[in-house]
Amino acid sequence: MYELNFFDKDTEELIYEFELNNLSDENVFSIFGFSLDGNCADVSKDHLLQIERHVDLRFPSEDYDISICQVE
């Protein structure tokens, strides 16, 4: 399972956390070009658009630093 985390750009405080139950390991590999293997990665706007297409959801993107983490 994967988590999408949104942090305030100024304070680095965690603002939102979304569980991405519908995102597969294959989806993540196709988006980032590598597996997360239990780690996290920064998410660009392009990455976020691809994630949104895979999970059929829309997320806020302005004024946030975004990361994705593989969680158990």
Side-chain angles (χ1 to χ4, degrees):
M1 182 173 62
Y2 295 90
E3 265 180 8
L4 201 56
N5 301 302
F6 293 77
F7 298 90
D8 183 282
K9 284 186 178 184
D10 296 325
T11 66
E12 298 182 13
E13 176 185 357
L14 178 63
I15 304 297
Y16 300 111
E17 183 177 86
F18 297 97
E19 289 184 1
L20 303 175
N21 297 319
N22 298 339
L23 196 66
S24 70
D25 294 338
E26 292 80 16
N27 296 148
V28 170
F29 188 85
S30 72
I31 293 168
F32 292 94
F34 57 88
S35 299
L36 292 182
D37 297 326
N39 294 306
C40 299
D42 291 336
V43 176
S44 69
K45 288 188 185 228
D46 182 55
H47 292 141
L48 186 61
L49 289 172
Q50 292 179 62
I51 291 168
E52 288 175 339
R53 279 188 238 128
H54 283 289
V55 299
D56 199 28
L57 294 170
R58 300 294 169 255
F59 299 101
S61 62
E62 299 301 315
D63 301 321
Y64 299 107
D65 288 327
I66 305 169
S67 68
I68 187 170
C69 298
Q70 187 176 28
V71 295
E72 292 183 18

